[in-house]
Each structure stands twice: as structure tokens, then as C-alpha cells.
Amino acid sequence: MDGLRVVPTWRHGRERLYVSLPDGRNIAWYDREAARVNLLGADREDDVMRALRPFITGPVTVGPPPVPTPAELARLTLHPDDDLAPNRPGEALLVALDRDPGPARRLRPDPRRRALEAEQTVGEALDRLDGAGWHALHSVPLPGGDRIHHLLIGPGGLFALHTLPARRHRVTVADPMVTVGRRDPHPLLRAVRAAADRASYALTAEVRPVLALVDPAAVTVPTAPREVRVLTDTQLDALSHQGGVLKPADVEALHAMARDRNTWGRV
């Protein structure tokens, strides 16, 4: 196969097969979902197609990569230190635990680890929506040390999600108070709404607040909270069923804006 290698990778939830030279340089990639082979140089087309032949299962389009949109160009020029897209779910907690893991033995589990597990659960559920035209950003930093746990952007609009671990506990939501198990009620919904308001200001677009409860034993909501949607981690795919709010170009533009750390410095 002329020394070419085919290397599978995943980008934003989509599989790509990269074709590379022996020195590691990529000369093409095959996007299965788009059924397209993108060539970085037409002179090796025959070699590339021979290398990919075992992996291609139907008709494909072959040609140079599509011209990037303005939103894609903005992402390409974004400095890596300012790009929030690589943030993992619970990124801030991962960093905090790495810096200060706490005592090896303690009477009760570190609450940061429960919070991290909850954010990872919600983050993984949101990342699975990527193929449906949605984008999720995680652990978006805000001035003053606050952060948005997850920001979801897609055809149905924008959502700021606050994750709450509730493993095997009953949860009662009585706006603005939230009670988990036998703990004291806490006015959590005020903070959930405030985070969404700050995101709306930064992105100049409506951002709707969502409280995501992870693994609760039961959820009681006597009266629907003002503006805030309450979902469990198993119900998050319901957000993707909404559409007709944003066009694909608007989704990409807002995602490019939201992933830039500098966007959030003024809220």
C-alpha cells in the first residue's frame, strides 16, 4: 500500500480514518458519516483509495477538504490556551484534586469526588448528542471563581446545566430551594439562574438554565420552577428533541464564541 498507514481517530463524536505517510504526515482522511474522502494532495489519490479500500463500504465523495466556514476559521486561529473545547467534564475538579488530593484516609468520601463523578456522568450524556448537531462545553470558567458546569448549544437553543449529585437520595425542588435527602434546603436555583443569565450576557443570546440531578432515588417538584428545567441524568437526551430555534450556521458561530475563554472575561 505504498507505505501508507490508516489510523482511526474520534473527533467530536465522529470517527475519522486518517491516511498518513511513513513519517507521520497526514495526506487524507475519510469521514464515514459524511461518506467523504478529503485529500490534502491530489497526486496521491490512487494510493489513498487503495489504502482505504478495506474500510469503505459504499459510495464516497473524493476531493479537497471543504472550505472552512467563518466559525471554523475562528476556531483554527484560537490560541490553545484560550480554547475551552478540550475541557473534560469536571475539568476544574480534576485540576483541584490533582493539586490537593486530600488525606488518603478519611471518615467520609471527599465530596469533590462525588461532584466529579456526577459531572462526568452528565458530560458523557451531553457529548453523545454531538452527532445530532449539538455541541457541549464543560467547566466553563467565570470571573470570581464561578463556573458553568456544562453549556449545551444546538438547534434547540442554548442551555446552561448545573449538575447536582443525588445518588440514591430523594430530591425536592421547591423554588428556589433544593433539598437532597436529609440535608438542609439550599437556594440552589438562584445560582442556576444566575449562571444562565451570565452566559446570556456573554453570548448575547438566550441561555436557558437546567438543573441536572444525577441518580436520584426520587424527585419531587410541587410546582414547576420559574425558568429552570429539572432533569435527571437519564432524561438529558430530551434536550436534543427540541429544534427550530437556531440554524446550523448560528450554532457553529455561537459554539466558536463560547469556546473562546476571552468571551467569559466580561461577565
Side-chain angles (χ1 to χ4, degrees), residues 244-256:
V245 176
L246 295 175
K247 298 178 181 179
D250 296 328
V251 171
E252 295 302 321
L254 284 164
H255 180 233

Side-chain angles (χ1 to χ4, degrees), residues 132 170 192 195 216 240:
R170 296 182 61 88
V192 176
S240 68

Side-chain angles (χ1 to χ4, degrees), residues 91-115:
E91 182 75 30
L93 291 169
L94 286 164
V95 172
L97 286 166
D98 184 59
R99 291 176 177 171
D100 178 21
R105 296 182 180 180
R106 51 190 304 162
L107 295 177
R108 294 183 178 180
D110 190 329
R112 296 177 299 173
R113 297 194 180 278
R114 288 199 299 268

